Amino acid sequence: MKYRAIVFDLDGVICHTDQYHYQAWKQIADRMNIYFDETINHRLRGVSRMDSLNIILEGYVGEPLSLEEKEKLASEKNEIYKSLLLMMSPKDLSKEVKETLNYLRSLGLKFAIGSSSKNARLILKQIGMEDYFDAISDGNNIEHSKPHPEVFLKAAGFLKEKPSDCLVVEDAKAGIEAACAGGMDSAGIGDAADYNKATYHLHNFKDLISIFQ
Ligand code: BG6
Ligand code: MG
């Protein structure tokens, strides 16, 4: 087989949390009279919470905010976001994703999560996958967010595999760039499906299977 392990991004790959990020940031943006729409929300994909806030604040007209004020806004957004995540359930894991994962696992591949999110474990718990992956590398164990490769290199390290033996699956361009920077092959899906830096281009999650045939 070409790879020994797969490192999956979580948001936008295993399940979809964009709407919840959007709704939470929208509440903050509206309160501050900042224009924020779904197009701007796309730019937040794969980007850390603070970097997301800085993108939203590009539309802010007012005195520059202190770091303390920004941290307060990011933490308020997170409280709203976490309360929205409680609406997620195992129904948010599609049959296609579940069946594809189970098939790939039956080939003996190791699995890790490589997510920028500090809420990765909560999301996995909500969708009933908290014990499914061999390792979880997330926003809590990194200093540098994607496109820096740290989150994926840590995931490979947790699995005790060489980065070049791991395939990264990503829906964010920043994530594909992170994989490249870490010397890892990548499969782009969703927003990143047509990104030319991705090694493989997936139209559906189940297309992953063809990489291992
Ligand atoms: C990524 C999302 O998975 O996690 C980003 O794609 C988000 O949109 C980032 O900003 C950080 O998430 P959290 O849960 O730590 O605020
Ligand atoms: Mg993603």
Side-chain angles (χ1 to χ4, degrees), residues 3-196:
Y3 307 100
R4 293 172 51 84
I6 309 180
V7 182
F8 296 93
D9 172 49
L10 179 61
D11 296 321
V13 171
I14 300 293
C15 60
H16 297 275
T17 51
D18 299 31
Q19 269 311 311
Y20 301 127
H21 278 296
Y22 177 71
Q23 286 173 39
W25 280 127
K26 181 80 178 139
Q27 284 193 38
I28 303 288
D30 283 355
R31 206 178 68 200
M32 299 182 71
N33 288 319
I34 299 172
Y35 179 75
F36 180 59
D37 62 13
E38 303 263 3
T39 310
I40 302 172
N41 196 51
H42 275 307
R43 289 177 58 204
L44 313 184
R45 225 172 261 261
V47 171
S48 75
R49 195 180 306 160
M50 212 27 134
D51 289 345
S52 298
L53 176 63
N54 284 326
I55 290 172
I56 290 166
L57 289 175
E58 287 171 12
Y60 178 61
V61 277
E63 289 296 305
L65 301 177
S66 66
L67 182 60
E68 203 179 29
E69 286 168 316
K70 284 189 191 180
E71 277 168 355
K72 188 162 173 281
L73 289 174
S75 124
E76 278 176 291
K77 179 267 174 176
N78 195 47
E79 289 310 310
I80 303 168
Y81 177 59
K82 281 198 296 183
S83 68
L84 294 169
L85 288 180
L86 297 181
M87 292 196 284
M88 290 186 89
S89 75
K91 287 193 188 131
D92 289 288
L93 179 69
S94 75
K95 191 165 174 275
E96 180 190 356
V97 170
K98 202 193 297 183
E99 289 180 357
T100 304
L101 288 174
N102 287 339
Y103 172 75
L104 293 169
R105 165 143 280 179
S106 75
L107 302 179
L109 289 155
K110 290 188 196 171
F111 287 170
I113 290 290
S115 165
S116 306
S117 174
K118 292 187 173 168
N119 295 299
R121 284 174 196 271
L122 170 61
I123 296 165
L124 288 169
K125 180 166 178 271
Q126 290 303 116
I127 62 171
M129 297 286 278
E130 59 185 327
D131 298 320
Y132 189 82
F133 294 89
D134 301 301
I136 297 171
S137 174
D138 65 18
N140 297 297
N141 60 251
I142 53 168
E143 276 177 40
H144 310 284
S145 197
K146 300 167 189 176
H148 193 285
E150 185 180 11
V151 75
F152 294 141
L153 295 178
K154 288 253 166 79
F158 292 158
L159 293 175
K160 300 193 170 33
E161 297 292 350
K162 286 191 291 191
S164 57
D165 284 332
C166 302
L167 174 71
V168 166
V169 186
E170 254 297 344
D171 72 312
K173 288 178 182 166
I176 299 290
E177 276 161 21
C180 290
M184 301 160 98
D185 283 357
S186 62
I189 191 165
D191 256 21
D194 298 323
Y195 195 37
N196 59 7

